Amino acid sequence: MGLINNILRKLFGKSQQTPSSTNVFLGRWEKERTARIKTAEEQLKPWITATVRAKGSLPFTWESGNDEAFVTFTDASDAEQDNFDALEAYIIDKLDIPDAGEFEMTGAGDIYIEHNAVKAKYSSTMKALIDYNEETEEAVYDEGEHDSADVVLFII
């Protein structure tokens, strides 16, 4: 929720408070997201660890916004496509990559191992629709960049 709150703060200049009925929905959504992350980690942890150890890192890119999010791994192989598909969903959930709204986000990062932890480091650029110029009939966008610190995905 922090990323979404930051988007709203950037667009509207302050944090947006949600009605209590929305908080109930967000609470349920967050519980479901947390459960998906836990399940994915249980299933993928050995494979991710072995793959990163063998390759050194797993580079990835993503595109999101306008109700979609896609993560692409440059080292994805057809033989491991099911694992990479599950890893895509896991990264979207774990990094809380947003997809709803009138914005576009692109990003790139690496999954790597450091001190018995599998981590991700990434940077992203978000382009959000903030207005529409009726005279020129063009959308007006605000663009912002974000670099992450090391994000611990899980401990080995």
Side-chain angles (χ1 to χ4, degrees), residues 13-143:
K14 62 180 181 176
S15 259
Q16 298 298 306
Q17 299 299 318
T18 57
S20 61
S21 62
T22 304
N23 286 338
V24 170
F25 172 75
L26 291 176
R28 188 178 115 226
W29 179 85
E30 187 62 28
K31 286 179 185 176
E32 291 171 357
R33 179 176 158 263
T34 301
R36 285 193 310 267
I37 290 170
K38 183 178 178 184
T39 300
E41 283 177 355
E42 290 170 359
Q43 294 172 350
L44 294 173
K45 191 175 184 177
W47 175 79
I48 293 171
T49 303
T51 303
V52 172
R53 282 187 173 144
K55 296 182 180 195
S57 70
L58 280 176
F60 63 94
T61 60
W62 81 80
E63 297 178 20
S64 69
N66 300 314
D67 300 328
E68 296 181 313
F70 302 100
V71 175
T72 305
F73 294 90
T74 55
D75 292 342
S77 67
D78 289 339
E80 298 174 305
Q81 193 59 49
D82 289 342
N83 287 335
F84 278 106
D85 290 344
L87 182 57
E88 174 184 15
Y90 170 71
I91 290 297
I92 290 169
D93 281 334
K94 186 72 175 192
L95 300 183
D96 200 14
I97 296 174
D99 60 356
E102 293 185 17
F103 72 92
E104 297 172 10
M105 180 182 273
T106 57
D110 283 298
I111 298 172
Y112 60 96
I113 295 174
E114 182 179 78
H115 306 299
N116 292 329
V118 174
K119 298 180 177 183
K121 187 170 185 130
Y122 62 91
S123 63
S124 62
T125 302
M126 183 179 70
K127 193 170 145 180
L129 178 67
I130 59 171
D131 199 3
Y132 184 78
N133 185 330
E134 292 181 18
E135 291 178 14
T136 63
E137 296 184 0
E138 293 180 356
V140 178
Y141 291 94
D142 183 29
E143 196 167 308

